[in-house]
Amino acid sequence: MTTPPPGLRERKKQATREALREAALRLAVERGPDQVRVEDIAEAAGVSPRTYNNYFASREQAIVSAVTADREARIAAAVAARPAGVRLADAVTEAVVEQYTNTGEREHKALLLITTRPALRDAFLDTTAGIEPPLTAVIAERLDHAEAHTARVLAASVAAAVRIALEGWLQPTGNAEAGGGVGTGGLVVPLGSLRDELRTALAPLAPAFDAAEQHAQP
């Protein structure tokens, strides 16, 4: 079934959300996250602080959104786009790895900030919970809706596995540097390891995915 295009109101909301997260990231890079207030982000995006609060609960959430924007929906869409003959465990693993490791310049800037601030790291890790709802729907569809409870359990397990992988990837190594800008201290990213961390964390779920697929077969 084809999803209808979003209406004018929804497009305006999407534009406002994008403006806020772009402003949050730009100001955080320029000044340092600790020197950015919610009021500053709202002003830079051309909205009121009250409007800001309708979209994000904190400045950390807005900054992190620059790297995680719509990722949950993209993971689900990538799984749905895999041919029916592709093993479900493989489809989910490849979709997660692809969406978490293929980052552009904007995402790279946000990751640099995330690795230097514990509050941003925590907000980044919290976003993994958002994987569950859209992934539940696409897994249920792959299982012909015969295993609705199983689909939710599997999706929740994927979200937990991704969080574990990210926790292993973002290792604390000391105190973050004081002052503005992007520091080199604090939390660092072991470059080149995220792909392996994700695959290792998701691997134990493969038997459960296989069993669910076998059970759903007529």
Side-chain angles (χ1 to χ4, degrees), residues 97-173:
V97 170
E98 176 183 335
Q99 294 302 324
Y100 269 92
T101 58
N102 292 347
T103 58
E105 181 180 355
R106 181 187 66 176
E107 290 83 358
H108 183 64
K109 289 180 180 178
L111 284 172
L112 287 176
L113 292 173
I114 289 167
T115 62
T116 62
R117 296 298 191 278
L120 288 173
R121 175 182 181 268
D122 292 343
F124 182 62
L125 293 174
D126 288 343
T127 63
T128 58
I131 294 173
E132 182 183 339
L135 190 56
T136 295
V138 75
I139 290 174
E141 185 173 351
R142 281 289 299 263
L143 299 179
D144 293 327
H145 301 281
E147 301 287 341
H149 180 72
T150 299
R152 184 176 178 185
V153 171
L154 290 172
S157 299
V158 170
V162 171
R163 183 182 179 104
I164 290 170
L166 293 177
E167 287 174 347
W169 185 55
L170 295 171
Q171 291 290 343
T173 61

Side-chain angles (χ1 to χ4, degrees), residues 79 82 87-99 158 198-200 202-203 206 209:
V79 174
R82 294 295 196 279
R87 182 176 172 228
L88 183 55
D90 293 337
V92 171
T93 298
E94 293 307 316
V96 169
V97 170
E98 176 183 335
Q99 294 302 324
V158 170
L198 288 166
R199 291 189 181 281
T200 299
L202 291 167
F209 275 105

Side-chain angles (χ1 to χ4, degrees), residues 7 14 58 62 84 100 130 153 156 160 165 175 208-209 212 214:
Q14 291 175 355
S58 67
Y100 269 92
V153 171
N175 294 323
F209 275 105
Q214 293 174 4

